[in-house]
Amino acid sequence: MTFFPEMPATQPECIAPDTWLIPNFAPAGDGLLLPVNSMVIRGREPVIVDTGAPVHRALWIEKAFSVVEPEDVRWIFLSHDDGDHTGALFDVLERCPHATLVTNFFAFERLAIEKPALPLSRMRWLDPGDTLDVGDRVLQLFRPPIFDGPTTRGLFDPKSRAMWAVDSFACFTPGPLDAEVLDAEVLAGMTTLCSAVSPWHAWLDRERYVRHVDAIEALGARTVASAHGPVLRRGALDDAFDRVRALAGAPLVPLPGQELLDSLLASTLVEAAG
Ligand SMILES: [Fe+2]
Ligand SMILES: [Fe+2]
């Protein structure tokens, strides 16, 4: 069952060597969709990177386990404890008995007050700057440039040069998940969503923030996937880093308010009357 049956069907997509995007969509209005992605790294010790949103739970399970056999999964990397990244977490823990959950102290504390207890013996707590050896590659954790949860850690795979940027680079899309085929107007929406996700950007010291973003860019990713945006490569990736750098000290991008709610209610009433 899906909560959004009218959403376009999507399939896992190989976006870099050994690296699969697990896509889903939620409606965003005006013909646009919000991507709700996660990722699988199918190396010697397969890694599930985030577990989707609760509304996509059944779809997520079907897609993720079409890419990797549950008993082969050795690691579950949880970027942070937000609900849209933990949708199938307990299904994965149950179905993947050989998997260790990679999270951190504060995510564990936050999850403890809203979810069943996590198994202490099946966890590893890692912080930005730490690494995770998964057999044929050593993954690097970092704090992404844009985030909406304090526990957030991104993941960089130096072997495939693929990066999981979590809630950074969010952008509504009319359908495509490849930034290189999206028009400039659609990609401009990334600035709005980045501002919405991390509204503290208005207080940032530009020089210090740019140093942080530069350090992430210097990891050398060729492919950047994120939970709520299109896959970024080449020029689109350069533009995305420039977009977040430009947010330092910039005013908040205004978001829709009561007027949008009023118009949504009005159109619902018109539909009901029709
Ligand atoms: Fe989040
Ligand atoms: Fe998210």
Side-chain angles (χ1 to χ4, degrees):
M1 179 187 125
T2 169
F3 282 65
F4 306 126
E6 74 285 7
M7 291 292 99
T10 56
Q11 294 303 321
E13 187 191 336
C14 186
I15 55 169
D18 306 321
T19 309
W20 295 76
L21 188 77
I22 310 296
N24 276 300
F25 284 127
D30 278 342
L32 292 172
L33 307 167
L34 174 70
V36 188
N37 304 319
S38 59
M39 209 170 79
V40 170
I41 304 170
R42 210 170 57 179
R44 191 183 304 154
E45 297 178 10
V47 188
I48 284 178
V49 181
D50 282 336
T51 64
V55 287
H56 298 124
R57 185 171 148 265
L59 281 172
W60 185 93
I61 290 169
E62 188 185 315
K63 290 175 189 175
F65 292 136
S66 73
V67 169
V68 63
E69 291 297 326
E71 57 270 27
D72 292 341
V73 176
R74 290 291 308 281
W75 303 98
I76 306 156
F77 176 80
L78 189 63
S79 66
H80 64 309
D81 51 282
D82 278 356
D84 59 322
H85 298 248
T86 56
L89 175 59
F90 288 86
D91 303 275
V92 175
L93 282 166
E94 191 181 319
R95 289 175 191 225
C96 306
H98 308 300
T100 296
L101 174 63
V102 179
T103 180
N104 56 69
F105 158 75
F106 199 35
F108 171 75
E109 288 295 319
R110 286 161 60 99
L111 285 168
I113 55 173
E114 59 170 278
K115 304 262 198 241
L118 287 168
L120 292 175
S121 59
R122 290 185 63 189
M123 274 190 288
R124 189 173 293 185
W125 290 356
L126 296 179
D127 286 312
D130 288 343
T131 57
L132 177 67
D133 187 335
V134 296
D136 58 351
R137 66 201 71 210
V138 179
L139 305 174
Q140 301 173 11
L141 281 73
F142 64 93
R143 201 182 300 280
I146 295 287
F147 55 86
D148 63 2
T151 65
T152 305
R153 283 92 173 96
L155 200 63
F156 176 59
D157 176 353
K159 186 168 181 181
S160 65
R161 297 180 70 177
M163 174 181 281
W164 180 242
V166 195
D167 290 331
S168 298
F169 310 131
C171 185
F172 295 140
T173 169
L177 282 169
D178 177 350
E180 289 183 302
V181 306
L182 292 173
D183 13 321
E185 197 189 333
V186 168
L187 288 170
M190 187 183 289
T191 298
T192 306
L193 277 188
C194 285
S195 177
V197 167
S198 289
W200 39 257
H201 69 78
W203 306 320
L204 287 171
D205 175 89
R206 181 168 168 75
E207 206 176 303
R208 292 184 73 175
Y209 183 64
V210 164
R211 267 207 302 278
H212 175 59
V213 179
D214 287 352
I216 298 164
E217 193 173 22
L219 290 171
R222 276 201 193 127
T223 307
V224 173
S226 67
H228 310 297
V231 177
L232 302 162
R233 300 183 181 87
R234 295 176 280 267
L237 179 54
D238 298 340
D239 289 348
F241 276 113
D242 286 345
R243 240 176 247 287
V244 294
R245 274 188 281 259
L247 280 172
L252 298 185
V253 179
L255 295 174
Q258 180 66 35
E259 308 73 35
L260 176 60
L261 177 57
D262 289 342
S263 76
L264 290 171
L265 284 170
S267 57
T268 308
L269 289 174
V270 168
E271 269 171 38

